[in-house]
Amino acid sequence: MKRVIILFLVGVLFSGCSNTDVHQEKVTELENEIAEVYAQLEEKEMEIETLSQPPAESATGEFITIPKDQVPLLWRDVDAQLWDYVIDDSLAKENGWEKGVTNWREWDGEYEQALGNTNQTWDAPGLLMNAWILDVGLSSGLGMDVWEINTRIDLSDENNAEGYIMSYGMRDDSVGGSDIKLTMLKENGFWYVEKAEVRYRCSRGVSEDKDVCL
């Protein structure tokens, strides 16, 4: 219908003008103006159609929100982890359980002695931590015994760093996850592990002394 109207207007313009060059130039100018108005009309119709669509959240459900003051902690604080905002622990609460975290204690596993000695191998704490993870086979259960493993490094200064290896989604009704902390030092330009510690995230609560999960 719009095109018919435009053609009609163009026809009227042609019928009212002589064949002189001046009039032909005016007709061409008016045709261009009509085409521009038509393009603007189509653009506005597309905007109206877009605005008439239902909001995205009504189709996808509610969004997960994180308090603004908590966001910076996701980069440096091991106590702030994304899964903690999305986990549904309503069933545990119905049964009177409350999640908790054990105290840090010395990690009782073994790792290559070279990782804990000053050497000339790892010139960045991230490389050292990756080598430690590979050496102890920590990721061997990923996708089978544990859902995900994340890592972070808190570099307090150029010679001191703490690396965190955070596992979550364990196939255990008591232990939901674990955090391993590597205290790493730099000497003569290279990094080594000074000590390794571990703590566990408990799904059903933690003992009074906070040493074990219930």
Side-chain angles (χ1 to χ4, degrees):
M1 177 61 72
K2 296 175 192 162
R3 296 185 183 277
V4 173
I5 294 173
I6 291 173
L7 291 174
F8 173 75
L9 292 173
V10 172
V12 171
L13 290 170
F14 271 116
S15 63
C17 300
S18 67
N19 291 328
T20 64
D21 292 341
V22 174
H23 287 167
Q24 184 60 41
E25 183 178 342
K26 184 63 176 178
V27 168
T28 301
E29 182 180 339
L30 291 173
E31 286 178 340
N32 292 337
E33 290 180 3
I34 292 173
E36 184 178 348
V37 170
Y38 179 66
Q40 292 176 353
L41 180 61
E42 282 192 326
E43 182 180 345
K44 294 300 180 183
E45 285 185 336
M46 291 179 63
E47 290 181 9
I48 292 173
E49 183 177 353
T50 300
L51 292 173
S52 64
Q53 297 296 323
E57 56 267 27
S58 64
T60 59
E62 295 182 359
F63 290 103
I64 296 169
T65 59
I66 299 176
K68 187 176 181 179
D69 61 343
Q70 293 292 306
V71 174
L73 300 180
L74 295 173
W75 277 266
R76 65 177 188 271
D77 191 336
V78 70
D79 289 320
Q81 298 186 23
L82 279 175
W83 63 264
D84 207 19
Y85 294 97
V86 301
I87 191 68
D88 182 6
D89 57 356
S90 57
L91 180 60
K93 290 181 178 179
E94 288 177 5
N95 286 277
W97 300 331
E98 186 174 351
K99 60 186 179 182
V101 183
T102 66
N103 293 320
W104 290 104
R105 63 174 176 80
E106 184 179 356
W107 188 72
D108 56 7
E110 296 181 355
Y111 55 90
E112 178 64 37
Q113 185 177 1
L115 293 163
N117 294 334
T118 57
N119 53 61
Q120 296 185 355
T121 304
W122 299 284
D123 58 3
L127 296 176
L128 174 61
M129 186 164 66
N130 286 340
W132 191 92
I133 293 173
L134 182 63
D135 181 69
V136 302
L138 196 63
S139 59
S140 61
L142 191 59
M144 296 177 289
D145 298 320
V146 62
W147 175 43
E148 69 172 3
I149 298 176
N150 295 313
T151 57
R152 291 181 196 163
I153 290 181
D154 182 11
L155 194 65
S156 54
D157 58 51
E158 62 179 12
N159 296 315
N160 294 270
E162 289 183 340
Y164 296 101
I165 306 161
M166 304 165 292
S167 303
Y168 181 73
M170 295 181 173
R171 293 182 181 274
D172 191 297
D173 60 354
S174 175
V175 181
S178 69
D179 301 323
I180 294 177
K181 176 169 62 175
L182 300 182
T183 300
M184 299 177 286
L185 304 178
K186 184 171 73 171
E187 188 172 321
N188 298 324
F190 293 91
W191 292 85
Y192 67 95
V193 176
E194 182 188 41
K195 64 178 178 179
E197 299 171 273
V198 65
R199 70 178 182 180
Y200 295 95
R201 295 185 172 271
C202 310
S203 303
R204 300 185 309 194
V206 62
S207 62
E208 289 187 9
D209 58 8
K210 293 190 175 182
D211 282 342
V212 295
C213 294
L214 299 178

